[in-house]
Amino acid sequence: MQSFDQDIVRRIRERSADMERRGELDDWLLEKIYDEKLFKLFVPSELNGLGSSLPEALRAFERMSWIDGSLGWLVTIGSGGGFFAAALPERRAAELFSGRKAVLAGSGMPTGKARKVEGGYRVTGSWAYCSGATFATFFTANCKIEGTGEELVRSFAFLPRQVQIAKDWNPLGLRATASHSIEVRDAYVPEDMTFDLTAEPRLNDPIYRYSFLAFAQTSFAAASVGVGRHFLEECAEFAASKAPEWKETSPRRLAALESAVAERLGILEAASDRFYELAESSWDTFVREGTLPEEVWREIGRRSQEAAAAARSGSDAVFPLLGMTALRHDHALCRTWRDLHTVTQHSVLLPENEE
């Protein structure tokens, strides 16, 4: 991430509104992601990946999300596909993950159907919210297996030529993530392009044995913290720009905005510190012992949700103090607020009684 210096951050943010209008990242920004191997954080080094630890990756997710919400979300989701490098057979994993631009898009929802045939399966289905669909080099999705008499679910890898992309992503925020629906119609998928995520992983690195739920919770929480921090920093800059005028015309409004921003930044930092403290200490324990007590897994989930909630509630507390400027769809205040509420809407970041 060293090449994402302040000049690049400024360039990305200057392009954020246009990328949002187009619904995808600029090509030059994708090239930087490929150069930094940010889609390959969890791909092993022998497949041209970075083989990062979870705490390293969480910091990357936060920084990319702080730069731009859509950028951060695509790095978070795209790199998460590296989990499947340990689930696919060795030869297929090498084919799919070794390339410089290798990145998958897909869905974990079992909204497809697969029928066993000689040498593999025939698959039909559609899946929503496949982030990065327009530049993915392959796709993965879950299907229910027909004709077994059981509720069996298996994961399938598809090549781009087998997939139809419906450009239907029209959300509140994260609009530049190309999170479109995909459809597969009676596609033949050979056995070695399928896998079972509940089976023993082929590789021994701890990341492939980590709880997938906890992985999603921590990853999305880190992204939430990044976008939340960006929003509050934009608010602080907005207050500073208005200070000369408001000190004369609206001193109480200025004081209220400055106080709210400072307070909510403090709350977010405290929640972030608690989140990272546990994420890092529990990761060290997991690497050393190969397991964690159930209460630790639950606490990881709670602190992830608390960090996301601190980001979300902080933005909601400050937003009414920003006036009409924050309602401008192409303004950074509005865009970061919308991105944050889209990230934190994910079900794994919501307490059970709010789902």
Side-chain angles (χ1 to χ4, degrees):
M1 293 188 298
Q2 294 181 354
S3 68
F4 282 81
D5 58 20
Q6 285 306 305
D7 288 339
I8 293 298
V9 171
R10 183 163 45 251
R11 183 182 178 188
I12 292 170
R13 290 182 175 176
E14 288 172 352
R15 294 290 303 147
S16 289
D18 189 64
M19 290 190 290
E20 181 177 78
R21 282 191 293 271
R22 294 191 302 107
E24 56 187 4
L25 300 187
D26 288 346
D27 289 343
W28 69 267
L29 182 50
L30 280 173
E31 290 296 326
K32 287 204 67 63
I33 295 172
Y34 300 142
D35 286 344
E36 295 283 340
K37 299 184 179 182
L38 291 175
F39 288 142
K40 305 183 79 171
L41 289 169
F42 301 118
V43 175
S45 58
E46 57 266 30
L47 299 183
N48 196 32
L50 293 178
S52 302
S53 70
L54 180 62
E56 291 171 333
L58 295 179
R59 297 291 185 177
F61 298 159
E62 180 186 340
R63 177 163 173 77
M64 293 300 108
S65 299
W66 168 79
I67 295 172
D68 176 82
S70 289
L71 167 64
W73 184 255
L74 284 171
V75 168
T76 301
I77 294 296
S79 65
F83 259 70
F84 305 151
L88 283 158
E90 183 176 3
R91 181 176 69 86
R92 288 298 192 184
E95 290 176 359
L96 295 173
F97 284 99
S98 293
R100 173 177 174 270
K101 296 184 177 182
V103 60
L104 67 85
S107 170
M109 296 300 294
T111 53
K113 296 180 179 180
R115 174 172 50 87
K116 192 76 174 72
V117 297
E118 184 177 357
Y121 296 82
R122 306 297 304 193
V123 177
T124 294
S126 60
W127 298 267
Y129 311 131
C130 300
S131 299
T134 55
F135 58 83
T137 56
F138 68 105
F139 298 80
T140 61
N142 288 341
C143 297
K144 294 179 180 179
I145 309 302
E146 295 183 318
T148 65
E150 302 178 62
E151 282 287 313
L152 295 180
V153 174
R154 193 164 182 83
S155 301
F156 294 79
F158 309 108
L159 298 177
R161 66 174 182 269
Q162 297 175 297
V163 174
Q164 296 291 322
I165 299 173
K167 294 190 174 181
D168 56 359
W169 179 239
N170 187 29
L172 177 72
L174 302 181
R175 295 181 65 85
T177 60
S179 299
H180 304 301
S181 298
I182 63 170
E183 183 177 8
V184 170
R185 299 178 183 176
D186 194 33
Y188 172 71
V189 182
E191 183 72 41
D192 64 354
M193 289 278 280
T194 77
F195 54 97
D196 179 359
L197 273 179
T198 66
E200 185 74 7
R202 180 175 53 80
L203 301 175
N204 291 323
D205 191 290
I207 193 63
Y208 306 123
R209 300 169 185 274
Y210 196 77
S211 160
F212 198 76
L213 173 60
F215 172 77
Q217 290 173 320
T218 53
S219 297
F220 299 166
S224 300
V225 169
V227 182
R229 183 174 286 116
H230 182 188
F231 171 77
L232 291 173
E233 290 175 1
E234 291 286 350
C235 292
E237 291 181 14
F238 176 73
S241 72
K242 290 293 185 181
E245 172 191 347
W246 286 6
K247 281 180 180 178
E248 298 297 327
T249 62
S250 306
R252 292 178 61 184
R253 179 182 179 186
L254 177 63
L257 176 57
E258 291 175 333
S259 175
V261 170
E263 178 186 4
R264 290 299 175 165
L265 271 171
I267 292 171
L268 178 58
E269 291 299 331
S272 174
D273 288 346
R274 291 192 297 271
F275 163 71
Y276 279 114
E277 178 184 28
L278 181 60
E280 292 167 1
S281 64
S282 62
W283 174 256
D284 290 341
T285 301
F286 185 77
V287 170
R288 185 174 62 251
E289 300 181 6
T291 187
L292 289 174
E294 185 58 36
E295 60 267 24
V296 175
W297 290 122
R298 287 196 295 268
E299 185 63 17
I300 290 171
R302 280 194 293 270
R303 292 202 193 180
S304 297
Q305 291 169 352
E306 288 170 0
R312 182 175 57 246
S313 63
S315 73
D316 288 345
V318 175
F319 193 83
L321 303 174
L322 299 172
M324 297 298 290
T325 301
L327 300 180
R328 287 172 45 193
H329 207 266
D330 61 348
H331 197 283
L333 289 171
C334 183
R335 184 170 56 256
T336 51
W337 187 90
R338 290 185 286 103
D339 284 348
L340 178 58
H341 281 72
T342 306
V343 173
T344 57
Q345 190 71 7
H346 202 287
S347 62
V348 300
L349 292 179
L350 300 174
E352 290 183 358
N353 62 356
E354 293 182 15
E355 288 187 277

